[in-house]
Amino acid sequence: MTDFFCVKKMGEPNLAIRFSCYSMVDLMQMYFKPHLPKMHYKRPLNVMEQEMLRQQAVNVVAARLSRAEPPLRKEVVEYMSDTKSHLWSMRRSKANFYRLMSGFSGFLSVGRWLGEVSTWKHPMTTVLVHILFLMLVCFPELIMPTMFLYVFVIGMWNWRFRPRHPPHMNSKLSYTDGVTTDELDEEFDTFPSTKSPDIVLWRYGRLRSVAGRVQSVVGDLATQGERVQALVSWLDPRPSSMFMAFCLVSAVVLYMTPFQIPILIGGFYFLRHPMFRSKVPPAPVNFYRRLPALTDSML
């Protein structure tokens, strides 16, 4: 059941349509207009009503195209209308996961770059970051212009690598290169399934393993949120009292000192040299990890 099967592209019909506009200003204004009529936002439909209307629309279109010449089957209309997007698909789940990683790759790259700067992997870059940080703190009115200018420079740099042709079906993005025969068979299976009980049981076990990992990640996120709430919920009086005292002292100190000084101290502490760093986690991290959560109260 785990034999890999690659989808082979036998051809691709392309339909070229060219759109033209009489006014570029009107075309630009379309980007700021809502997608749906005003009534949809005043009295929105719930999920069940949307699914019912979608199914009715698919049935109408399928009945109309089935009488065309050549006739088009209902399965094709359902696939093009994406009516089964809410059903489970291992291939689609992997594709969406890689899409998510690609969408947040910029933030991950910034995080890795900050880690390299804070550990002095490239000393010259770290020194330049110190100078830039000091300049932005001393002249805070330059923060927002610098950010927007940086985004503008990135956008203009990526303009050189803009796509030259309209996007088509991407087999790599759809993760059809590494899909197995069983995953394809599961994706094209009906709902409810018509396969044998052994195959359904094996797929159920695989789904449980995937859902177990997702469940662990969701549980970890819930634990982090509960620890933040434990700071002010007095679930454990000792850390809550220490946090209350810290907030009171911080309020007094920040009121009496210019805001640039705490920011400079925090920034230089984050960018300190590795010789001033300890091998063990810092005290705030240890304090946060010892905060209580509700995991022990769960069955």
Side-chain angles (χ1 to χ4, degrees), residues 232-256:
V232 294
S233 63
W234 296 89
L235 189 61
D236 189 353
R238 287 171 292 275
S240 295
S241 59
M242 288 188 289
F243 182 71
M244 294 299 107
F246 169 77
C247 291
L248 180 60
V249 174
S250 300
V252 175
V253 172
L254 293 176
Y255 178 76
M256 298 178 61

PDB file of all heavy atoms in Angstrom, residues 232-256:
ATOM      1  N   VAL A 232      -1.563  36.068  35.735  1.00  0.00           N
ATOM      2  CA  VAL A 232      -2.516  36.970  36.390  1.00  0.00           C
ATOM      3  C   VAL A 232      -3.731  36.239  36.942  1.00  0.00           C
ATOM      4  O   VAL A 232      -4.622  36.876  37.509  1.00  0.00           O
ATOM      5  CB  VAL A 232      -2.982  38.064  35.406  1.00  0.00           C
ATOM      6  CG1 VAL A 232      -1.830  38.971  35.029  1.00  0.00           C
ATOM      7  CG2 VAL A 232      -3.588  37.439  34.154  1.00  0.00           C
ATOM      8  N   SER A 233      -3.796  34.925  36.764  1.00  0.00           N
ATOM      9  CA  SER A 233      -4.958  34.177  37.259  1.00  0.00           C
ATOM     10  C   SER A 233      -4.760  33.633  38.663  1.00  0.00           C
ATOM     11  O   SER A 233      -5.683  33.021  39.213  1.00  0.00           O
ATOM     12  CB  SER A 233      -5.273  33.015  36.304  1.00  0.00           C
ATOM     13  OG  SER A 233      -4.193  32.100  36.267  1.00  0.00           O
ATOM     14  N   TRP A 234      -3.573  33.791  39.244  1.00  0.00           N
ATOM     15  CA  TRP A 234      -3.267  33.336  40.603  1.00  0.00           C
ATOM     16  C   TRP A 234      -3.509  31.838  40.762  1.00  0.00           C
ATOM     17  O   TRP A 234      -3.909  31.370  41.837  1.00  0.00           O
ATOM     18  CB  TRP A 234      -4.083  34.116  41.639  1.00  0.00           C
ATOM     19  CG  TRP A 234      -3.750  35.569  41.679  1.00  0.00           C
ATOM     20  CD1 TRP A 234      -4.320  36.554  40.932  1.00  0.00           C
ATOM     21  CD2 TRP A 234      -2.744  36.202  42.479  1.00  0.00           C
ATOM     22  NE1 TRP A 234      -3.749  37.767  41.213  1.00  0.00           N
ATOM     23  CE2 TRP A 234      -2.775  37.583  42.169  1.00  0.00           C
ATOM     24  CE3 TRP A 234      -1.838  35.747  43.431  1.00  0.00           C
ATOM     25  CZ2 TRP A 234      -1.929  38.498  42.772  1.00  0.00           C
ATOM     26  CZ3 TRP A 234      -0.995  36.657  44.039  1.00  0.00           C
ATOM     27  CH2 TRP A 234      -1.041  38.017  43.709  1.00  0.00           C
ATOM     28  N   LEU A 235      -3.270  31.091  39.679  1.00  0.00           N
ATOM     29  CA  LEU A 235      -3.344  29.638  39.799  1.00  0.00           C
ATOM     30  C   LEU A 235      -2.250  29.122  40.724  1.00  0.00           C
ATOM     31  O   LEU A 235      -2.453  28.169  41.476  1.00  0.00           O
ATOM     32  CB  LEU A 235      -3.229  29.002  38.410  1.00  0.00           C
ATOM     33  CG  LEU A 235      -3.506  27.505  38.304  1.00  0.00           C
ATOM     34  CD1 LEU A 235      -4.942  27.200  38.734  1.00  0.00           C
ATOM     35  CD2 LEU A 235      -3.270  27.012  36.883  1.00  0.00           C
ATOM     36  N   ASP A 236      -1.092  29.768  40.662  1.00  0.00           N
ATOM     37  CA  ASP A 236      -0.009  29.540  41.618  1.00  0.00           C
ATOM     38  C   ASP A 236       0.315  30.895  42.230  1.00  0.00           C
ATOM     39  O   ASP A 236       0.811  31.789  41.540  1.00  0.00           O
ATOM     40  CB  ASP A 236       1.213  28.948  40.912  1.00  0.00           C
ATOM     41  CG  ASP A 236       2.284  28.497  41.896  1.00  0.00           C
ATOM     42  OD1 ASP A 236       2.138  28.769  43.105  1.00  0.00           O
ATOM     43  OD2 ASP A 236       3.266  27.869  41.455  1.00  0.00           O
ATOM     44  N   PRO A 237       0.030  31.116  43.513  1.00  0.00           N
ATOM     45  CA  PRO A 237       0.173  32.474  44.088  1.00  0.00           C
ATOM     46  C   PRO A 237       1.594  33.014  44.049  1.00  0.00           C
ATOM     47  O   PRO A 237       1.792  34.227  43.919  1.00  0.00           O
ATOM     48  CB  PRO A 237      -0.320  32.301  45.528  1.00  0.00           C
ATOM     49  CG  PRO A 237      -1.134  31.055  45.522  1.00  0.00           C
ATOM     50  CD  PRO A 237      -0.524  30.165  44.485  1.00  0.00           C
ATOM     51  N   ARG A 238       2.593  32.173  44.162  1.00  0.00           N
ATOM     52  CA  ARG A 238       3.970  32.663  44.248  1.00  0.00           C
ATOM     53  C   ARG A 238       4.442  33.318  42.952  1.00  0.00           C
ATOM     54  O   ARG A 238       4.902  34.469  42.985  1.00  0.00           O
ATOM     55  CB  ARG A 238       4.894  31.506  44.664  1.00  0.00           C
ATOM     56  CG  ARG A 238       4.729  31.107  46.139  1.00  0.00           C
ATOM     57  CD  ARG A 238       5.471  29.831  46.461  1.00  0.00           C
ATOM     58  NE  ARG A 238       4.872  28.682  45.788  1.00  0.00           N
ATOM     59  CZ  ARG A 238       3.842  27.987  46.284  1.00  0.00           C
ATOM     60  NH1 ARG A 238       3.310  28.336  47.443  1.00  0.00           N
ATOM     61  NH2 ARG A 238       3.349  26.950  45.639  1.00  0.00           N
ATOM     62  N   PRO A 239       4.371  32.662  41.795  1.00  0.00           N
ATOM     63  CA  PRO A 239       4.795  33.378  40.576  1.00  0.00           C
ATOM     64  C   PRO A 239       3.893  34.556  40.229  1.00  0.00           C
ATOM     65  O   PRO A 239       4.365  35.559  39.681  1.00  0.00           O
ATOM     66  CB  PRO A 239       4.754  32.291  39.498  1.00  0.00           C
ATOM     67  CG  PRO A 239       3.865  31.243  40.021  1.00  0.00           C
ATOM     68  CD  PRO A 239       4.032  31.263  41.502  1.00  0.00           C
ATOM     69  N   SER A 240       2.607  34.467  40.557  1.00  0.00           N
ATOM     70  CA  SER A 240       1.719  35.598  40.273  1.00  0.00           C
ATOM     71  C   SER A 240       2.093  36.808  41.112  1.00  0.00           C
ATOM     72  O   SER A 240       2.093  37.944  40.621  1.00  0.00           O
ATOM     73  CB  SER A 240       0.262  35.200  40.528  1.00  0.00           C
ATOM     74  OG  SER A 240      -0.149  34.185  39.631  1.00  0.00           O
ATOM     75  N   SER A 241       2.418  36.589  42.391  1.00  0.00           N
ATOM     76  CA  SER A 241       2.819  37.710  43.242  1.00  0.00           C
ATOM     77  C   SER A 241       4.136  38.313  42.769  1.00  0.00           C
ATOM     78  O   SER A 241       4.301  39.546  42.763  1.00  0.00           O
ATOM     79  CB  SER A 241       2.935  37.240  44.690  1.00  0.00           C
ATOM     80  OG  SER A 241       3.893  36.196  44.802  1.00  0.00           O
ATOM     81  N   MET A 242       5.085  37.471  42.343  1.00  0.00           N
ATOM     82  CA  MET A 242       6.346  38.006  41.820  1.00  0.00           C
ATOM     83  C   MET A 242       6.114  38.791  40.535  1.00  0.00           C
ATOM     84  O   MET A 242       6.733  39.838  40.310  1.00  0.00           O
ATOM     85  CB  MET A 242       7.335  36.859  41.587  1.00  0.00           C
ATOM     86  CG  MET A 242       7.897  36.257  42.865  1.00  0.00           C
ATOM     87  SD  MET A 242       9.224  35.061  42.567  1.00  0.00           S
ATOM     88  CE  MET A 242       8.280  33.704  41.851  1.00  0.00           C
ATOM     89  N   PHE A 243       5.212  38.319  39.701  1.00  0.00           N
ATOM     90  CA  PHE A 243       4.928  39.030  38.456  1.00  0.00           C
ATOM     91  C   PHE A 243       4.218  40.351  38.736  1.00  0.00           C
ATOM     92  O   PHE A 243       4.484  41.357  38.057  1.00  0.00           O
ATOM     93  CB  PHE A 243       4.080  38.147  37.546  1.00  0.00           C
ATOM     94  CG  PHE A 243       3.763  38.768  36.221  1.00  0.00           C
ATOM     95  CD1 PHE A 243       4.740  38.930  35.256  1.00  0.00           C
ATOM     96  CD2 PHE A 243       2.477  39.199  35.936  1.00  0.00           C
ATOM     97  CE1 PHE A 243       4.450  39.511  34.034  1.00  0.00           C
ATOM     98  CE2 PHE A 243       2.176  39.780  34.715  1.00  0.00           C
ATOM     99  CZ  PHE A 243       3.165  39.933  33.765  1.00  0.00           C
ATOM    100  N   MET A 244       3.320  40.389  39.726  1.00  0.00           N
ATOM    101  CA  MET A 244       2.655  41.638  40.079  1.00  0.00           C
ATOM    102  C   MET A 244       3.664  42.664  40.594  1.00  0.00           C
ATOM    103  O   MET A 244       3.605  43.856  40.250  1.00  0.00           O
ATOM    104  CB  MET A 244       1.587  41.377  41.140  1.00  0.00           C
ATOM    105  CG  MET A 244       0.410  40.526  40.681  1.00  0.00           C
ATOM    106  SD  MET A 244      -0.538  41.247  39.332  1.00  0.00           S
ATOM    107  CE  MET A 244      -0.014  40.193  37.977  1.00  0.00           C
ATOM    108  N   ALA A 245       4.606  42.205  41.429  1.00  0.00           N
ATOM    109  CA  ALA A 245       5.642  43.115  41.927  1.00  0.00           C
ATOM    110  C   ALA A 245       6.520  43.619  40.787  1.00  0.00           C
ATOM    111  O   ALA A 245       6.890  44.804  40.742  1.00  0.00           O
ATOM    112  CB  ALA A 245       6.486  42.402  42.980  1.00  0.00           C
ATOM    113  N   PHE A 246       6.838  42.735  39.846  1.00  0.00           N
ATOM    114  CA  PHE A 246       7.644  43.151  38.698  1.00  0.00           C
ATOM    115  C   PHE A 246       6.907  44.194  37.860  1.00  0.00           C
ATOM    116  O   PHE A 246       7.506  45.178  37.401  1.00  0.00           O
ATOM    117  CB  PHE A 246       7.989  41.923  37.854  1.00  0.00           C
ATOM    118  CG  PHE A 246       8.597  42.249  36.524  1.00  0.00           C
ATOM    119  CD1 PHE A 246       9.925  42.645  36.427  1.00  0.00           C
ATOM    120  CD2 PHE A 246       7.841  42.168  35.359  1.00  0.00           C
ATOM    121  CE1 PHE A 246      10.485  42.957  35.196  1.00  0.00           C
ATOM    122  CE2 PHE A 246       8.392  42.474  34.132  1.00  0.00           C
ATOM    123  CZ  PHE A 246       9.720  42.869  34.050  1.00  0.00           C
ATOM    124  N   CYS A 247       5.615  44.005  37.652  1.00  0.00           N
ATOM    125  CA  CYS A 247       4.836  44.969  36.865  1.00  0.00           C
ATOM    126  C   CYS A 247       4.780  46.324  37.560  1.00  0.00           C
ATOM    127  O   CYS A 247       4.886  47.376  36.911  1.00  0.00           O
ATOM    128  CB  CYS A 247       3.424  44.431  36.629  1.00  0.00           C
ATOM    129  SG  CYS A 247       3.350  43.012  35.521  1.00  0.00           S
ATOM    130  N   LEU A 248       4.622  46.320  38.889  1.00  0.00           N
ATOM    131  CA  LEU A 248       4.558  47.585  39.621  1.00  0.00           C
ATOM    132  C   LEU A 248       5.885  48.327  39.554  1.00  0.00           C
ATOM    133  O   LEU A 248       5.924  49.540  39.276  1.00  0.00           O
ATOM    134  CB  LEU A 248       4.162  47.313  41.075  1.00  0.00           C
ATOM    135  CG  LEU A 248       4.042  48.541  41.981  1.00  0.00           C
ATOM    136  CD1 LEU A 248       2.977  49.492  41.450  1.00  0.00           C
ATOM    137  CD2 LEU A 248       3.738  48.115  43.413  1.00  0.00           C
ATOM    138  N   VAL A 249       6.978  47.620  39.769  1.00  0.00           N
ATOM    139  CA  VAL A 249       8.296  48.257  39.701  1.00  0.00           C
ATOM    140  C   VAL A 249       8.583  48.739  38.284  1.00  0.00           C
ATOM    141  O   VAL A 249       9.126  49.835  38.074  1.00  0.00           O
ATOM    142  CB  VAL A 249       9.377  47.278  40.195  1.00  0.00           C
ATOM    143  CG1 VAL A 249      10.770  47.863  39.984  1.00  0.00           C
ATOM    144  CG2 VAL A 249       9.163  46.946  41.660  1.00  0.00           C
ATOM    145  N   SER A 250       8.205  47.939  37.283  1.00  0.00           N
ATOM    146  CA  SER A 250       8.441  48.336  35.894  1.00  0.00           C
ATOM    147  C   SER A 250       7.648  49.582  35.531  1.00  0.00           C
ATOM    148  O   SER A 250       8.147  50.459  34.813  1.00  0.00           O
ATOM    149  CB  SER A 250       8.068  47.185  34.956  1.00  0.00           C
ATOM    150  OG  SER A 250       8.843  46.038  35.230  1.00  0.00           O
ATOM    151  N   ALA A 251       6.415  49.678  36.026  1.00  0.00           N
ATOM    152  CA  ALA A 251       5.607  50.860  35.736  1.00  0.00           C
ATOM    153  C   ALA A 251       6.253  52.115  36.311  1.00  0.00           C
ATOM    154  O   ALA A 251       6.307  53.165  35.649  1.00  0.00           O
ATOM    155  CB  ALA A 251       4.200  50.671  36.291  1.00  0.00           C
ATOM    156  N   VAL A 252       6.772  52.022  37.531  1.00  0.00           N
ATOM    157  CA  VAL A 252       7.407  53.191  38.159  1.00  0.00           C
ATOM    158  C   VAL A 252       8.696  53.558  37.439  1.00  0.00           C
ATOM    159  O   VAL A 252       8.961  54.733  37.146  1.00  0.00           O
ATOM    160  CB  VAL A 252       7.663  52.905  39.653  1.00  0.00           C
ATOM    161  CG1 VAL A 252       8.429  54.058  40.291  1.00  0.00           C
ATOM    162  CG2 VAL A 252       6.345  52.674  40.383  1.00  0.00           C
ATOM    163  N   VAL A 253       9.511  52.544  37.112  1.00  0.00           N
ATOM    164  CA  VAL A 253      10.796  52.811  36.459  1.00  0.00           C
ATOM    165  C   VAL A 253      10.590  53.382  35.059  1.00  0.00           C
ATOM    166  O   VAL A 253      11.252  54.347  34.655  1.00  0.00           O
ATOM    167  CB  VAL A 253      11.640  51.525  36.421  1.00  0.00           C
ATOM    168  CG1 VAL A 253      12.889  51.731  35.571  1.00  0.00           C
ATOM    169  CG2 VAL A 253      12.028  51.107  37.831  1.00  0.00           C
ATOM    170  N   LEU A 254       9.665  52.808  34.304  1.00  0.00           N
ATOM    171  CA  LEU A 254       9.427  53.297  32.952  1.00  0.00           C
ATOM    172  C   LEU A 254       8.802  54.686  32.943  1.00  0.00           C
ATOM    173  O   LEU A 254       8.970  55.439  31.973  1.00  0.00           O
ATOM    174  CB  LEU A 254       8.527  52.313  32.193  1.00  0.00           C
ATOM    175  CG  LEU A 254       9.139  50.942  31.894  1.00  0.00           C
ATOM    176  CD1 LEU A 254       8.122  50.040  31.223  1.00  0.00           C
ATOM    177  CD2 LEU A 254      10.377  51.082  31.019  1.00  0.00           C
ATOM    178  N   TYR A 255       8.081  55.021  33.999  1.00  0.00           N
ATOM    179  CA  TYR A 255       7.508  56.362  34.079  1.00  0.00           C
ATOM    180  C   TYR A 255       8.581  57.412  34.367  1.00  0.00           C
ATOM    181  O   TYR A 255       8.486  58.548  33.887  1.00  0.00           O
ATOM    182  CB  TYR A 255       6.435  56.396  35.164  1.00  0.00           C
ATOM    183  CG  TYR A 255       5.820  57.757  35.366  1.00  0.00           C
ATOM    184  CD1 TYR A 255       4.885  58.263  34.467  1.00  0.00           C
ATOM    185  CD2 TYR A 255       6.190  58.551  36.459  1.00  0.00           C
ATOM    186  CE1 TYR A 255       4.329  59.517  34.646  1.00  0.00           C
ATOM    187  CE2 TYR A 255       5.640  59.804  36.643  1.00  0.00           C
ATOM    188  CZ  TYR A 255       4.708  60.284  35.734  1.00  0.00           C
ATOM    189  OH  TYR A 255       4.166  61.532  35.918  1.00  0.00           O
ATOM    190  N   MET A 256       9.605  57.030  35.102  1.00  0.00           N
ATOM    191  CA  MET A 256      10.620  57.993  35.522  1.00  0.00           C
ATOM    192  C   MET A 256      11.800  58.071  34.561  1.00  0.00           C
ATOM    193  O   MET A 256      12.586  59.019  34.644  1.00  0.00           O
ATOM    194  CB  MET A 256      11.130  57.627  36.927  1.00  0.00           C
ATOM    195  CG  MET A 256      10.050  57.661  37.996  1.00  0.00           C
ATOM    196  SD  MET A 256      10.664  57.162  39.619  1.00  0.00           S
ATOM    197  CE  MET A 256      11.906  58.413  39.915  1.00  0.00           C
TER     198      MET A 256
END
